[in-house]
Amino acid sequence: MIDDLGEVVPLHAPAARVVSLVPSLTEAVEVSAPGRLAGATDYCTHPVELDVPRVGGSKYPNVDKVLELAPDLVLANSEENRPEDVERLRANGIPVWVMEASATVPSALGSIRRILTQAYDLAEPDWLVEAEEVWRETRPERFRAVVPVWRKPWIVLGRDTFGGDVLHRVGIGNVYADDEERYPRPKLEELQARFATEDANLLVLPDEPYEFTADDGPEAFPGAKYVLVSGRHLTWYGPSLVEAHAALLRALG
């Protein structure tokens, strides 16, 4: 088997003891193949009833704890996980499947399909088929948005991001979609100027990775129309995509 980055995954039987270092993949594999997770990160909050050993954060997992769990497969992501951690696991004989950071909904679902059907030897799950159907249509653009994902410093969605494609498909254009960076760090004054010049007419504030609220975020953009959205619905690629389409449309009005 070959992962998204072209690396061999020396797995000789369907994965049965898996450590997931990616919250989205944790939810996807547990919903699709319950009981095969041997460990997950502290940030793997779904399914909410998941009860497995925790191995620290996604960006800085405790590799020793992962090794102690003796998994037959570790799931990682090219954006969320450090290459040095992946290499250390492989050097210790642990197969690692690295999913490439997806720029679109279809590519993310395609990657998950490969993991589930190849590494897990599963039939295509119903939720994945439903998510593909729900997200097939792209709605006409209604707003042009600035989409911060962090503050201090301000970081926004830029080019080729999964969250940007999610918004595009529900009719929300991303002001920074053509930026050279995937996650630009513009000064607040530049972001405010986007609204002053009417280049942007919507501020989209998710609750993760930074937890924006009605009292933390909108005050920096006086008079700008804003919406608070679930970060899970905006940036997670898994079963949550089935509900995310309708939930985002409700939030966006």
Side-chain angles (χ1 to χ4, degrees), residues 24-37:
S24 294
L25 290 181
T26 298
E27 181 178 27
V29 300
E30 180 64 14
V31 168
S32 305
R36 296 204 215 175
L37 278 175

Side-chain angles (χ1 to χ4, degrees), residues 104-106 135-139 164-172 245:
T104 68
V105 174
W135 286 95
R136 194 177 307 279
E137 175 189 357
T138 297
R139 298 197 168 211
D165 189 56
V166 164
L167 290 173
H168 168 67
R169 289 170 186 271
V170 295
I172 309 299
H245 193 276

Side-chain angles (χ1 to χ4, degrees), residues 129-145:
V129 177
E130 186 176 355
E132 284 186 324
E133 185 60 33
V134 166
W135 286 95
R136 194 177 307 279
E137 175 189 357
T138 297
R139 298 197 168 211
E141 185 174 292
R142 296 183 293 141
F143 296 102
R144 286 182 52 77

Side-chain angles (χ1 to χ4, degrees), residues 4 25 28 99-100 102-117 124-136 162 165-166 169 236-242:
D4 287 358
L25 290 181
M99 177 181 175
E100 188 172 18
S102 297
T104 68
V105 174
S107 65
L109 292 174
S111 290
I112 293 174
R113 175 182 285 104
R114 292 182 59 234
I115 291 172
L116 296 177
T117 59
E124 191 173 72
D126 291 342
W127 70 259
L128 197 153
V129 177
E130 186 176 355
E132 284 186 324
E133 185 60 33
V134 166
W135 286 95
R136 194 177 307 279
F162 179 82
D165 189 56
V166 164
R169 289 170 186 271
W236 283 39
Y237 35 79
S240 59
L241 282 171
V242 175

Side-chain angles (χ1 to χ4, degrees), residues 176 187-197 219-222:
Y176 284 90
K187 298 295 185 183
L188 178 58
E189 293 76 15
E190 178 186 329
L191 294 174
Q192 293 169 332
R194 295 282 189 168
F195 289 93
T197 61
E219 82 289 343
F221 301 88

Side-chain angles (χ1 to χ4, degrees), residues 3-5 9 74-78 86 90 96-100:
D3 71 10
D4 287 358
L5 302 189
V9 183
V74 170
L75 298 175
N77 178 276
S78 64
V86 171
R90 287 175 173 157
V96 182
W97 187 304
V98 180
M99 177 181 175
E100 188 172 18

